[in-house]
């Protein structure tokens, strides 16, 4: 439905055919703006020929400020150059004589096409990046291996990727990728409360694979100076400039990890074939339930899945009561690639470990980027403060 500002009751019928659909006529600009606010899909406003020029320009400016994608067409009894200049400065798309119904039909078509293009660009621009947190409550199971390899693979597909090292005291994302960070997450503390994309760029380190990294501080004691709120701020700002933010974590429920959980679109939880790791994963799933984290936002992966240790993947599934998304085999090629400082997905793309990592990214991580409904889910998430304090009090590394 097109919105028309015209005092003449018969005006809607007159322009109906040219506009190609129903017209909602209003007597005042206030009523029209109210209707526009209530009609988020509407993208065309026509101002009738007898509305005085200044009021018409005021309405056009208001539409441009509030709904830039909405086109404004202005009808006049006569056209002259100064009138055209005034109208264009106010953001009117086209000015036509009131009796030129063919011209009006063409202008309506052009304006709608432009509005649709602008709306499409707007949708893309506001499509936030997705946060993927890699976690296990047990140390040494492969969190950093997954974080760096998944990030490197996603970057190789052309995505803008930031890997965030939340293992703030003992982080080894930087060293695994053989980077020499000049700055780290500790440098965000002074920007707390007013962090923006430029500030974030000052602390990231660029890797030759195309990914960026927000590295952990060089000094382990600096971890205590980083509040959980700055991590939430970091992730929110990063979503504006990256397609994927992959978060590596320490093996503990720290306030930084909880901030990452709160802001994550997907959790990659790592299991291995040993009883402590499976027990810890079961406890992690229960803790995530307490935190209100949606079950459908979790994938469980089994690392070193072919290790001959007496426990089978079926045993793991029986304990955790959740399917395993991907199994990554055990291979000496993994530590060898870490020692070379090149993620195995890039160094040996045909290796079974690389194939499994890509499968995880293609089947579970990349689809999250196209799923706009997940943003709503994140907003709903939340746990009460006492639950969070209880979880934090369990503290330390396992
Ligand atoms: N599939 C695999 N096959 C063989 N070795 C592996 C595999 N995955 C990881 N590793 C090796 O296991 C060790 C621990 O891996 P990683 O550092 O990724 O674990 P982590 O969970 O990040 O540990 P931490 O809790 O200490 O941060 C590393 O030496 C790594 O190279
Ligand atoms: Mg690690």
């Amino acid at each position: 439905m097109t919105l028309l500002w015209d005092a003449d009751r018969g005006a809607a019928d007159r322009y109906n055919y040219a506009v190609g659909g129903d017209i909602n006529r209003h007597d005042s600009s206030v009523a029209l703006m109210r209707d526009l606010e209530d009609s988020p899909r509407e993208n065309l406003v026509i101002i009738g020929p007898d509305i005085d020029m200044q009021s018409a320009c005021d309405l056009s400016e208001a539409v441009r400020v509030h709904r830039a994608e909405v086109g404004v067409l202005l009808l006049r009894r006569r056209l002259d150059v100064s009138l055209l200049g005034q109208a264009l400065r106010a953001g009117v798309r086209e000015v036509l004589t009131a009796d030129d119904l063919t011209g009006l039909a063409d202008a309506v078509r052009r304006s709608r096409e432009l509005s649709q293009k602008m709306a499409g660009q707007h949708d893309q621009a506001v499509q936030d990046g997705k946060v993927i947190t890699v976690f296990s409550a047990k140390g040494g199971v492969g969190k950093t291996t997954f974080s760096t390899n998944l990030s490197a693979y996603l970057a190789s597909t052309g995505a803008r990727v930031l890997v965030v090292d939340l293992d703030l005291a003992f982080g080894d994302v930087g060293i695994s990728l053989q980077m020499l960070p000049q700055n780290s997450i500790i440098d965000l503390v002074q920007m707390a409360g007013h962090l923006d994309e430029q500030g974030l760029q000052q602390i990231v380190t660029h890797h030759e694979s195309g990914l960026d990294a927000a590295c952990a501080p060089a000094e382990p004691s600096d971890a205590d100076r980083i509040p959980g709120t700055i991590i939430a701020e970091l992730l929110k700002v990063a979503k504006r400039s990256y397609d994927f933010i992959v978060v590596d974590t320490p093996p503990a429920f720290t306030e930084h990890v909880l901030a990452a959980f709160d802001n994550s679109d997907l959790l990659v939880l790592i299991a291995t074939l040993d009883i402590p790791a499976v027990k810890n994963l079961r406890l992690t799933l229960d803790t995530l339930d307490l935190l209100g984290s949606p079950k459908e936002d979790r994938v469980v992966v089994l690392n070193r899945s072919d290790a001959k240790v007496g426990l089978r993947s079926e045993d793991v599934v029986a304990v955790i009561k959740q399917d395993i998304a991907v199994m990554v085999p055990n291979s000496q090629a993994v530590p060898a690639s870490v020692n070379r400082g090149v993620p195995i997905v890039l160094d040996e793309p045909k290796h079974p470990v690389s194939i499994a990592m890509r499968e995880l990214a293609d089947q579970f991580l990349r689809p999250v980027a196209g799923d706009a409904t997940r943003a709503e889910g994140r907003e709903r998430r939340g746990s009460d403060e006492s639950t969070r304090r209880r979880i934090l009090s369990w503290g330390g590394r396992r």
Side-chain angles (χ1 to χ4, degrees):
M1 175 121 37
T2 300
L3 307 188
L4 170 69
W5 182 18
D6 200 312
D8 178 358
R9 286 174 189 277
D13 289 341
R14 200 158 45 248
Y15 305 127
N16 207 308
Y17 185 71
V19 167
D22 286 344
I23 293 179
N24 231 7
R25 188 189 64 83
H26 293 281
D27 285 321
S28 73
S29 61
V30 175
L32 185 141
M33 282 304 284
R34 208 175 295 131
D35 192 359
L36 191 61
E37 268 170 38
D38 293 340
S39 321
R41 299 173 71 84
E42 187 47 70
N43 60 15
L44 186 64
V45 168
I46 299 175
I47 303 175
D50 299 321
I51 304 297
D52 77 87
M53 192 59 189
Q54 189 53 53
S55 305
C57 289
D58 289 347
L59 176 67
S60 177
E61 296 221 7
V63 171
R64 182 162 61 173
V65 169
H66 294 289
R67 294 272 302 277
E69 82 285 5
V70 174
V72 177
L73 304 181
L74 178 63
L75 302 178
R76 298 287 87 176
R77 297 281 169 214
R78 277 187 24 246
L79 302 186
D80 65 56
V81 175
S82 75
L83 178 147
L84 286 176
Q86 194 184 350
L88 292 179
R89 280 193 297 279
V92 169
R93 283 201 185 149
E94 297 195 37
V95 187
L96 305 119
T97 51
D99 52 6
D100 180 8
L101 295 182
T102 315
L104 178 60
D106 289 342
V108 165
R109 183 183 41 75
R110 280 192 295 270
S111 178
R112 287 209 190 280
E113 279 172 10
L114 181 59
S115 293
Q116 272 157 13
K117 271 192 205 144
M118 286 173 76
Q121 280 164 2
H122 181 68
D123 282 353
Q124 266 180 359
V126 298
Q127 174 76 264
D128 272 347
K130 302 297 175 187
V131 178
I132 290 155
T133 297
V134 180
F135 183 75
S136 153
K138 185 167 185 297
V141 297
K143 295 180 291 296
T144 305
T145 305
F146 274 75
S147 308
T148 49
N149 275 281
L150 292 171
S151 300
Y153 171 61
L154 290 169
S156 77
T157 65
R160 297 166 302 165
V161 182
L162 176 71
V163 53
V164 177
D165 193 348
L166 282 195
D167 196 349
L168 294 171
F170 303 105
D172 42 20
V173 165
I175 205 156
S176 299
L177 295 169
Q178 277 192 355
M179 291 191 297
L180 293 171
Q182 300 295 308
N183 294 304
S184 76
I185 294 175
I186 189 71
D187 300 299
L188 292 177
V189 173
Q190 60 198 355
M191 303 184 224
H194 52 88
L195 180 64
D196 59 14
E197 284 126 298
Q198 275 182 335
L200 177 59
Q201 284 310 308
Q202 282 169 26
I203 71 107
V204 305
T205 309
H206 304 294
H207 186 254
E208 57 192 18
S209 66
L211 66 80
D212 285 350
C215 291
E219 200 57 55
S221 59
D222 277 346
D224 295 337
R225 293 176 42 217
I226 301 170
T229 47
I230 192 84
I231 301 304
E233 201 177 349
L234 156 66
L235 297 175
K236 287 200 176 103
V237 171
K239 281 171 162 217
R240 293 190 228 135
S241 24
Y242 293 94
D243 300 313
F244 293 100
I245 300 107
V246 179
V247 183
D248 188 19
T249 55
F253 292 101
T254 64
E255 59 170 324
H256 312 110
V257 169
L258 296 198
F261 286 163
D262 281 348
N263 288 283
S264 289
D265 297 278
L266 188 74
L267 305 181
V268 175
L269 304 170
I270 303 181
T272 49
L273 290 172
D274 58 292
I275 291 187
V278 177
K279 183 212 80 179
N280 280 334
L281 178 54
R282 181 63 260 163
L283 291 176
T284 296
L285 293 169
D286 294 344
T287 307
L288 289 169
D289 288 343
L290 280 177
L291 287 168
S293 154
K295 286 190 171 45
E296 61 275 16
D297 288 0
R298 308 170 192 166
V299 289
V300 174
V301 297
L302 188 59
N303 192 21
R304 316 180 99 161
S305 58
D306 53 349
K308 304 274 180 291
V309 284
L311 209 61
R312 298 164 308 149
S313 61
E314 297 88 309
D315 302 326
V316 179
V317 171
V319 174
I320 64 170
K321 300 186 184 66
Q322 183 162 339
D323 286 344
I324 290 169
V326 169
M327 307 219 199
V328 178
N330 185 44
S331 169
Q332 281 312 306
V334 175
S337 76
V338 175
N339 290 341
R340 282 196 299 278
V342 188
I344 188 167
V345 279
L346 302 181
D347 212 18
E348 297 180 61
K350 295 198 175 125
H351 194 284
V353 168
S354 306
I355 293 170
M357 292 280 183
R358 283 203 302 274
E359 187 187 333
L360 174 63
D362 289 339
Q363 288 189 16
F364 296 92
L365 274 55
R366 292 173 72 190
V368 172
D371 188 351
T373 60
R374 282 176 179 260
E376 286 169 33
R378 296 300 74 63
E379 297 305 320
R380 285 199 306 273
R381 176 183 299 179
S383 54
D384 61 89
E385 203 40 48
S386 69
T387 308
R388 297 172 78 84
R389 273 204 301 275
R390 196 150 51 89
I391 291 167
L392 285 171
S393 73
W394 302 340
R397 287 169 170 261
R398 289 172 179 82

